[in-house]
Amino acid sequence: MKRVKEVLDNKNDNYILPFFWLHGEDNDILRDYVKKIYESGIKAFIVESRPHPDFLGESWWENMDTLMEEAKKLGMKVWLLDDSHFPTGYANGRVKNDYPQYIKKYLKIHQLDFVGPLEDATILVNRGNTKQLFSKEKEYIPDKLLKIIAAKRTGNSSFDSTSFIDITNFEINGILNWSIPEGQWRIFVLMETIDGGEPQTEGYLNPLESQATRILIDEVYQPHYKRYQSEFGKTFAGFFSDEPRFGNMHGAEGSIGRKEMVYPWREGMLEEFFLDDYVFLPLLEPIESDGKEKEVRLKYMDIVSKEYSNNFTGVLAEWCQKRNVEYIGHLIEDNNSHARLGYGAGHFFRAIKPQDMSGIDVVLNQIMPGMDKNINKSITKMGWDGEFFHYGLAKMGASLGQLDRKKGGRTICEVFGAYGWAEGLSLMKYIVDHMLVRGVNHFIPHAFSPKTFPDPDCPPHFYANGHDPEFRYMYILNNYINRISHLFNGGKHIAKVGILYHAEAEWLGNYMLFQEPARVLMQHQIDFDIIPIDYVMESKITNNEFLINNNEFHTLIIPYAESLPLSFMEKVEAMSKNGISIYFVNNYPLYSEKNKRLDESFFSGTNKVNLESLGEELKIKGTELIVSEYQPYLRYYHYEHIDGNLYMFFNEDPYQEINTVAELNSEKVLLKYDGFNNELLSYDQFNKEGKKQIPIQLQPNESLILVDNNKFEGMITKNVNQLEGKETILQLKWKVEFCTALEYPTFGNLQELNNLININKLPGLECFSGNFKYTSTFNSIDLTGDRFILDLGIVNEIAEVKLNGELVGIKICTPYSFEITDYLQKGINHLEIVVVDNLGKQEQDFFSQFIPMKPSGLLGPVKVIEYKGNYS
């Protein structure tokens, strides 16, 4: 396999582009940091402009010139985060100061209840407040009256759909003269306003207007093009947008029809899209009217999600494409906001389709080992939806990367940010493998900050002016990321099952989140892609399959939905008639978007299945991988190149080892690829009844990558015929010394231990973080095997082992096992183990309170495992 050979020959590409925060530091400091980034195995970075005090000013350009110069010398790529404030859309303040007509606009629906009959009633129609402009103290943007609609109430929040009438003509100068008919009536005053959105993005550009987006281009993109035009597409790689959003309300709960709010809007939308049915716009609110609300909400969400894509993302992407650079970024996907207003942009797949990569982010402890259930309290008041972050987010992002031709299979994830100093390399490796095994293959580590240590802004920060004790080992993780990412690029993800993206179902009524069936499938090692209705509608149906961008699917799973669009159901009917397996989870949908009962013919030949039975049901039909027993924390990923296949397994259980046998539909001999040591190893496997049986033994946070044995015979580093090992626990007395990152390698404060304990329990070391050097001796006279492994047991969290003065190896995560066959000598052996911890206990920062910090140091038991058998 070409990709494997490239990795083994150290010819892989770079897939890491960390944030590099600028605060106006001296250029010599910036040069030093660029070198540190490069030395850690990273060949690109994203300049994070947010903290800089002079964005686009003289000192900004001096800093940028320095970074561009250093990056060019080292062959690195430079990206730019595209605004001065978070999130993207502020346009460096240019919109609110100079172009207030392009500030975000909203549709506000003011509601008034009355009872009739009352002839010639006078009603004061509050048009809302006028909003003071940002640029000039005495200038205001008044709310604009669009329409006044009246409807008859049939309940607390229900209305007669035949009663909606336009009474705008009865209003003059804020006074409505209207004869209220008999019964209870509500008046809806529809206004165009710049007021009512979240304060966090007040004064931001309106993403529904292309001219507003061009202000961002003129203010940020164009000046960088003018200065670095010759390096565009070379050293200057592109632009990154960070969490742009509608911002019509703050938070992730902006689900249409469930929350009173103002609605994303732009001038002319009523005439362009709602001229024939504007009287029903009040049904965007959480009210009902004989099901008519379904049609209105679907239409509105379709419009604003597509307009966002066309007039914001699409405009930026087109500008970049014409100048030979790429446009990437991510939205706020948190807690299901990706299919909503507020934090969201309406529809994840539409919003970032124009970008060159799919993109997501994981920050603030959103992914923590084992916390894959329920709502977990963390830094946010609402807490994190564990099921979404563990079973939904990465698969959603990777699915877009795989299904959209423009992206070429590339998905990027911002990782590690704002977890706190207690997040060390071991947890970072867990997050990386969580992403890789779901198809994410580019990474934005968060962040390098040259500010004086400790910078309280969303730690951890890599290197940290020399204070980070784990940074000298970060190259190990980065090399691993680049190697595995190289293997998982250039081919395609193999999954025959699609799960329908739930956006339209949420807009139309009661629904099931897509991550619920995703969890069940993942826990049964059945891989899948998340597929939006748009892509299903465009898919090509063949016998027993539907095709999307050369991806073949034979099964579509539809999470429970009360209503689904009629055109989609017609497509589903055609798919089932062509032999494609259709599974409706829990129940069939009842209605179309027009609230018409769906004909039973739509469900002929389809399956209805209970959610928790879904995994077993699919296994009965046949899947490419079956494990010998239920393993809810074993993850599986299949990636295909034109010249071979890759299979990844990962143990996501925080504490329990996985020991099972997997049955795989593969006729080829498989080899193990070790991404840390960059070597190929033989791997035990056997055939049983025509199926390949693969023993899988994985410690928590351990992964396994298997490769087709395709002309690799001469490249196998080790060939082991391994028998049962004999364990000998080393009962040793230890000398332990300590030093901080700045003091390294000068150790001191010698302590003698008869037993291995949590170092932070020693007097004076309760809050120590840094380096722990353990030394001891042992006698190997009774060891008689052919091969020897030193197993350190529990370590927190990096271990560097020397035996008899020679470096044996370094491990940043489980298993802390080291091959010592070539280093062991008969008789007395001198053992030195340097354990390195993160800075969580020393810094005790705000963010670290959400990570349970493990006992520090070497915990053991330390043992030697000896094997008899063939070894070369």
Side-chain angles (χ1 to χ4, degrees), residues 629-799:
E629 65 281 305
Y630 180 56
Q631 293 287 353
Y633 285 105
L634 177 64
R635 303 290 169 256
Y636 168 69
Y637 185 69
H638 178 189
Y639 197 79
E640 180 184 76
H641 288 281
I642 194 170
D643 54 352
N645 293 272
L646 295 154
Y647 305 93
M648 182 173 183
F649 300 87
F650 180 45
N651 180 6
E652 291 189 348
D653 194 297
Y655 304 116
Q656 300 298 317
E657 180 180 293
I658 289 176
N659 197 339
T660 189
V661 175
E663 182 179 282
L664 183 65
N665 283 337
S666 175
E667 297 178 357
K668 296 181 180 179
V669 175
L670 300 174
L671 300 174
K672 175 183 176 180
Y673 173 70
D674 183 339
F676 285 109
N677 294 313
N678 196 26
E679 59 185 7
L680 281 176
L681 310 169
S682 65
Y683 195 80
D684 288 342
Q685 57 206 276
F686 54 92
N687 293 319
K688 181 180 179 182
E689 298 177 354
K691 301 286 187 178
K692 184 177 294 298
Q693 307 290 309
I694 305 170
I696 295 178
Q697 185 174 359
L698 295 172
Q699 291 189 27
N701 197 10
E702 184 179 5
S703 57
L704 167 67
I705 293 178
L706 299 177
V707 185
D708 279 350
N709 184 3
N710 187 359
K711 300 180 181 178
F712 287 133
E713 286 78 4
M715 304 174 72
I716 300 174
T717 305
K718 294 186 178 74
N719 190 358
V720 181
N721 180 16
Q722 187 170 296
L723 303 177
E724 192 70 25
K726 174 187 174 184
E727 296 184 357
T728 301
I729 295 178
L730 301 180
Q731 303 289 351
L732 305 177
K733 293 184 178 181
W734 299 91
K735 294 181 179 180
V736 190
E737 297 177 272
F738 310 91
C739 70
T740 65
L742 293 179
E743 294 167 339
Y744 181 85
T746 304
F747 287 86
N749 188 20
L750 178 66
Q751 308 266 340
E752 294 189 0
L753 300 177
N754 292 324
N755 299 294
L756 293 172
I757 62 169
N758 177 5
I759 291 298
N760 293 127
K761 288 189 173 181
L762 295 176
L765 296 170
E766 292 87 355
C767 299
F768 180 80
S769 297
N771 303 273
F772 314 73
K773 184 168 73 174
Y774 295 76
T775 56
S776 190
T777 60
F778 67 94
N779 196 327
S780 66
I781 195 69
D782 294 327
L783 301 178
T784 59
D786 299 308
R787 180 187 177 213
F788 303 94
I789 302 294
L790 178 69
D791 189 319
L792 303 184
I794 299 174
V795 177
N796 290 310
E797 63 186 4
I798 299 172

